[in-house]
Amino acid sequence: MPKTYSEEERAQIIAKLKQEANLLMQEKGVKKTTVDELVARVGIPKGTFYLFYPSKEMLLFDVSQDFHEEVDAYIAKGMMNIREEKARKEDGRVDWSDCVEELTDVFLGAFEITYNSCLRVLLNPESVALILQKLPKDVWEKHRMEDEGRWDGLFEQLAGKKDIDTNAMVGSFMMIIFGGMYRCEVGEEIWKDSMRMLIKGVVLQLVGSP
């Protein structure tokens, strides 16, 4: 009979699988990350892996979702802190146009989480395609819709102008993210300052200059 695991044991195994999957994706990429190496690093039989995940791709997607949630939580917490620290208008709303520097730092921090995790690997369309091959369509569609709604809601909250082009704004941030893949080419010593300058330019257009 297959071994049974307590809830605590299951949680520990899943956490270890996710940890090693994140590291392996960054070290070797999606294609060269294998179930054999994952279970060897975690210290479980190969058959046990499939008690938790139907495929390697589902695990990798699950890991990427964790980092997506970490990025979302980082932005939400950053914005909450800004609200608490900044003076409010008479109607109770934050004047985001007076928070350009703070918002820039929040987005920069979120982008750094991306670059220091497996999300950086998944900026490569080929890597995403490899995962999508084994991912149930309904899982990906749900993720895509939630992702679109998340950006729309954030930009609507921050927009200093009613006529802002949300799609163009999303595209601008995506271009910054993809540009960050050339960190070594730009130079480690100026990468952060360069990213901050680009992000600040988009934030200024989003919330309007003070």
Side-chain angles (χ1 to χ4, degrees):
M1 290 181 62
K3 180 180 177 180
T4 58
Y5 296 92
S6 67
E7 288 301 313
E8 182 178 356
E9 289 174 325
R10 291 180 63 85
Q12 291 175 347
I13 291 172
I14 290 173
K16 289 179 181 178
L17 283 170
K18 287 182 173 181
Q19 179 182 5
E20 295 303 330
N22 173 51
L23 293 174
L24 274 172
M25 268 199 284
Q26 294 184 73
E27 292 170 13
K28 298 186 174 184
V30 171
K31 191 172 184 178
K32 292 184 178 180
T33 295
T34 65
V35 173
D36 286 336
E37 188 162 3
L38 281 165
V39 298
R41 289 194 179 198
V42 175
I44 58 173
K46 188 172 182 178
T48 299
F49 175 88
Y50 295 101
L51 296 177
F52 298 93
Y53 289 98
S55 66
K56 172 192 80 175
E57 289 77 13
M58 195 66 207
L59 167 61
L60 302 187
F61 178 76
D62 203 13
V63 174
S64 72
Q65 287 299 94
D66 285 351
F67 282 105
H68 268 295
E69 291 172 8
E70 183 178 342
V71 168
D72 291 344
Y74 183 92
I75 293 174
K77 183 178 180 180
M79 291 178 64
M80 180 180 69
N81 289 341
I82 293 172
R83 287 192 189 97
E84 292 175 351
E85 293 173 5
K86 286 290 184 177
R88 296 173 181 272
K89 290 181 177 179
E90 292 183 2
D91 59 8
R93 292 182 301 173
V94 174
D95 183 358
W96 292 112
S97 68
D98 191 38
C99 308
V100 172
E101 299 295 337
E102 292 86 351
L103 283 170
T104 298
D105 287 336
V106 168
F107 282 117
L108 179 59
F111 288 155
E112 288 193 287
I113 293 173
T114 298
Y115 297 130
N116 293 318
S117 72
C118 62
L119 293 178
R120 182 185 74 249
V121 178
L122 297 178
L123 291 174
N124 185 321
E126 182 180 352
S127 297
V128 175
L130 288 171
I131 292 179
L132 288 181
Q133 288 176 3
K134 296 288 184 69
L135 204 66
K137 289 184 179 180
D138 61 323
V139 173
W140 174 251
E141 185 62 22
K142 180 182 178 183
H143 164 73
R144 187 185 64 78
M145 293 180 66
E146 288 176 349
D147 221 26
E148 288 181 357
R150 183 183 300 119
W151 282 102
D152 289 346
L154 174 63
F155 291 152
E156 285 175 6
Q157 183 179 171
L158 293 177
K161 303 187 287 287
K162 296 296 183 181
D163 60 346
I164 190 167
D165 187 334
T166 303
N167 290 330
M169 194 61 63
V170 171
S172 297
F173 275 109
M174 290 304 297
M175 289 178 72
I176 293 173
I177 292 173
F178 281 110
M181 294 175 68
Y182 298 95
R183 185 169 184 158
C184 293
E185 288 80 358
V186 172
E188 289 288 340
E189 69 281 2
I190 63 169
W191 178 86
K192 190 170 183 178
D193 288 341
S194 299
M195 284 290 289
R196 195 178 192 284
M197 187 177 294
L198 290 171
I199 294 167
K200 183 176 179 180
V202 177
V203 170
L204 278 167
Q205 293 181 73
L206 177 62
V207 301
S209 57

